[in-house]
Amino acid sequence: MLGPKRLELLRELLPSISTVALLVNPSNPNVGADAPETQAGANALGRRLEVLTASTERDLEAAFTTIVKRQAGALVVMPDPLFFDRREQLVALAARYAVPTIYPFREFAVAGGLMSYGSSLPDQDRQVGIHTGKILKGAKPADLPVMQAVKIELVINLKTAKTLSLTVPITLLGRADEVIE
């Protein structure tokens, strides 16, 4: 899981923050595994993790007011179809509330988010196509191996960093797969 790695990247960018918010959709079945793993990562880094939930568009606005109230220094957005569909709104809220945020997919950083760390959606689509092709050629789905994301990418949006008055360390920029200027 990538939650702990996202926390490490935030720590590298913002070494002095003590509290990080984690935005999850409680109706997403992956939350049961992702949230505890991310909590363990926060504990290992000596950071407090505030888990916030949102399952509707209206919940997203409330989550950001809670982030400010609880004085979280940054936000980790977990992968979820609702969040992906509402990425423009999430990026706008993060900008309005000046919350440094790391997202699960590059599409968020392209939309103006600070940074993203996660699997490549085009790569995932390619893998689905390969599996589908094998099934159409007669392979039994149960006989096919479970595929994991092959390409994990870090994207940093320097325009957004500048807007937030953040200096991105050169070590972080050097590891980025893409830097948006």
Side-chain angles (χ1 to χ4, degrees):
M1 304 296 174
L2 300 176
K5 182 62 177 177
R6 290 182 185 112
L7 289 171
E8 289 175 23
L9 292 166
L10 280 174
R11 181 190 63 178
E12 190 171 343
L13 179 63
L14 305 159
S16 64
I17 61 169
S18 59
T19 303
V20 177
L22 177 69
L23 184 63
V24 301
N25 183 342
S27 61
N28 186 321
N30 294 322
V31 169
D34 291 347
E37 182 180 77
T38 305
Q39 180 65 64
N43 293 344
L45 295 172
R47 302 296 187 266
R48 193 177 80 194
L49 190 70
E50 290 281 342
V51 179
L52 306 174
T53 61
S55 55
T56 67
E57 185 178 330
R58 191 178 328 157
D59 294 344
L60 296 175
E61 179 82 38
F64 276 86
T65 58
T66 302
I67 289 167
V68 172
K69 254 188 237 175
R70 296 185 184 171
Q71 299 179 335
L75 171 65
V76 175
V77 175
M78 295 304 285
D80 186 86
L82 170 71
F83 301 156
F84 188 81
D85 289 345
R86 303 301 310 163
R87 66 185 170 276
E88 300 284 339
Q89 180 185 5
L90 278 167
V91 166
L93 287 166
R96 183 180 342 142
Y97 288 95
V99 177
T101 305
I102 187 165
Y103 302 92
F105 303 111
R106 82 176 287 285
E107 288 77 5
F108 286 88
V110 169
L114 175 60
M115 65 182 172
S116 65
Y117 184 75
S119 59
S120 164
L121 293 179
D123 188 56
Q124 285 181 8
D125 292 345
R126 184 186 60 75
Q127 288 181 18
V128 168
I130 290 169
H131 258 59
T132 303
K134 289 177 182 179
I135 292 167
L136 291 173
K137 289 178 183 176
K140 294 179 184 175
D143 293 339
L144 295 175
V146 173
M147 301 294 289
Q148 288 190 337
V150 175
K151 184 177 180 185
I152 305 295
E153 53 191 6
L154 170 63
V155 180
I156 300 171
N157 188 321
L158 286 179
K159 286 188 227 177
T160 303
K162 184 178 180 181
T163 301
L164 294 169
S165 301
L166 296 174
T167 301
V168 180
I170 193 75
T171 54
L172 194 56
L173 287 172
R175 292 196 321 271
D177 296 285
E178 182 179 353
V179 175
I180 299 168
E181 297 190 53

